[in-house]
Amino acid sequence: AMTSAVSKAKNLVLDLLFPKFCVSCRKEGSFLCEDCAKSLIFLAPSCFVCGKRNLSGKTCQSCRKKTHIQRFFAPFSYKDEVIRSAIHLYKYGRVKELGDVFGGFLASMLEFYEFKPRQNMLFVPIPLHKSRKRERGFNQSEILAEFLGQRFHLAVAADALSRIKNTLPQIELKDNAGRRENIKEAFLTHKPEAIKNKTIILVDDVSTSGATLEEAARVLKAAGARSVWAAVVARR
């Protein structure tokens, strides 16, 4: 009880020094107020490759040969200014608590589209290179994956993949070919035994061109994953 009292006092001091304002309407109290959160529009799931709406999030039959990802879920468009500002604050403003807000959105979308957790499923966050993680202080995708793991009572393997190449942020690159080149051979699997025959659900904050998810999925499939899905907060 003592530690919770101390952390409550600490939070109170932080709130007084750095008041929280909604990224959308600037109302004080939280980084995304209830009214603005309610006004956000969920996107229906769609094929990872061609973007055609598909309520199960499955990759179209005709697109299967073009990807290692079987199902894809992204509740928001990155073009939405509120979402873009909130993700920016989460990642670069180091506002960790937005992780639970975004995790809640992702979980709601999965529940709405009748995601059924099975024992052979595993959440795997897209890893950051250790120097980037050191600089940021946390991996934003790991927080989302942990949230989903707790919500759906599924295991999270934050160390299943590691990033061996310190890549440029995908969002800063102009074209998809550059993004594919940037992320090529950036990941390594350390625990093929944990991945073998599992349905892996990759978790990230934004999918710009899909190249990062695709490369991670390729590595996981090569290590023996049964199938790879992806869940991101926003897609470009």
Side-chain angles (χ1 to χ4, degrees):
M2 185 60 191
T3 52
S4 82
V6 169
S7 72
K8 267 195 189 120
K10 216 158 117 184
N11 286 339
L12 188 65
V13 170
L14 283 172
D15 286 350
L16 290 170
L17 290 174
F18 306 103
K20 297 171 188 166
F21 293 98
C22 173
V23 291
S24 179
C25 69
R26 308 304 294 156
K27 191 166 97 185
E28 198 175 334
S30 66
F31 293 111
L32 189 60
C33 76
E34 217 171 308
D35 290 338
C36 291
K38 279 197 189 112
S39 72
L40 291 167
I41 297 160
F42 268 31
L43 301 172
S46 61
C47 169
F48 180 68
V49 178
C50 70
K52 197 168 142 198
R53 274 183 61 172
N54 171 335
L55 299 188
S56 64
K58 282 185 180 159
T59 300
C60 302
Q61 200 73 41
S62 54
C63 294
R64 292 240 172 103
K65 287 189 168 68
K66 297 176 190 163
T67 183
H68 296 93
I69 287 174
Q70 203 176 349
R71 291 179 85 175
F72 178 58
F73 295 94
F76 301 114
S77 165
Y78 194 65
K79 293 185 185 89
D80 183 315
E81 218 172 305
V82 177
I83 286 295
R84 208 169 48 243
S85 306
I87 286 175
H88 208 269
L89 195 61
Y90 176 42
K91 259 170 108 147
Y92 307 112
R94 296 175 174 77
V95 177
K96 257 170 123 168
E97 66 201 71
L98 276 167
D100 287 353
V101 176
F102 289 139
F105 285 141
L106 267 175
S108 299
M109 182 184 191
L110 288 168
E111 281 161 354
F112 185 80
Y113 289 102
E114 293 176 5
F115 165 65
K116 290 180 178 53
R118 294 193 303 269
Q119 273 328 102
N120 76 328
M121 287 175 171
L122 192 62
F123 284 111
V124 172
I126 291 287
L128 284 177
H129 189 266
K130 54 181 184 293
S131 62
R132 179 95 30 96
K133 190 173 180 179
R134 214 172 25 242
E135 175 192 316
R136 201 173 289 168
F138 66 98
N139 175 358
Q140 73 284 357
S141 304
E142 207 172 305
I143 291 172
L144 296 170
E146 291 292 349
F147 184 97
L148 293 171
Q150 280 168 359
R151 173 71 72 94
F152 294 110
H153 309 292
L154 289 172
V156 177
D159 53 357
L161 277 178
S162 70
R163 200 163 192 138
I164 50 172
K165 187 168 140 189
N166 196 5
T167 52
L168 292 163
Q170 292 286 77
I171 220 121
E172 287 173 19
L173 296 165
K174 294 283 175 282
D175 61 9
N176 290 349
R179 290 180 183 128
R180 279 194 297 273
E181 197 48 48
N182 183 43
I183 205 74
K184 212 171 155 189
E185 291 172 357
F187 302 113
L188 196 67
T189 328
H190 286 299
K191 298 190 160 177
E193 70 288 349
I195 286 157
K196 210 171 165 49
N197 298 324
K198 290 270 198 309
T199 292
I200 307 288
I201 305 164
L202 282 169
V203 181
D204 207 357
D205 53 356
V206 181
S207 175
T208 309
S209 64
T212 301
L213 294 170
E214 190 58 65
E215 182 61 14
R218 184 187 70 76
V219 170
L220 290 165
K221 288 286 282 197
R226 180 166 170 238
S227 77
V228 182
W229 302 6
V232 299
V233 177
R235 62 172 196 238
R236 201 88 183 256

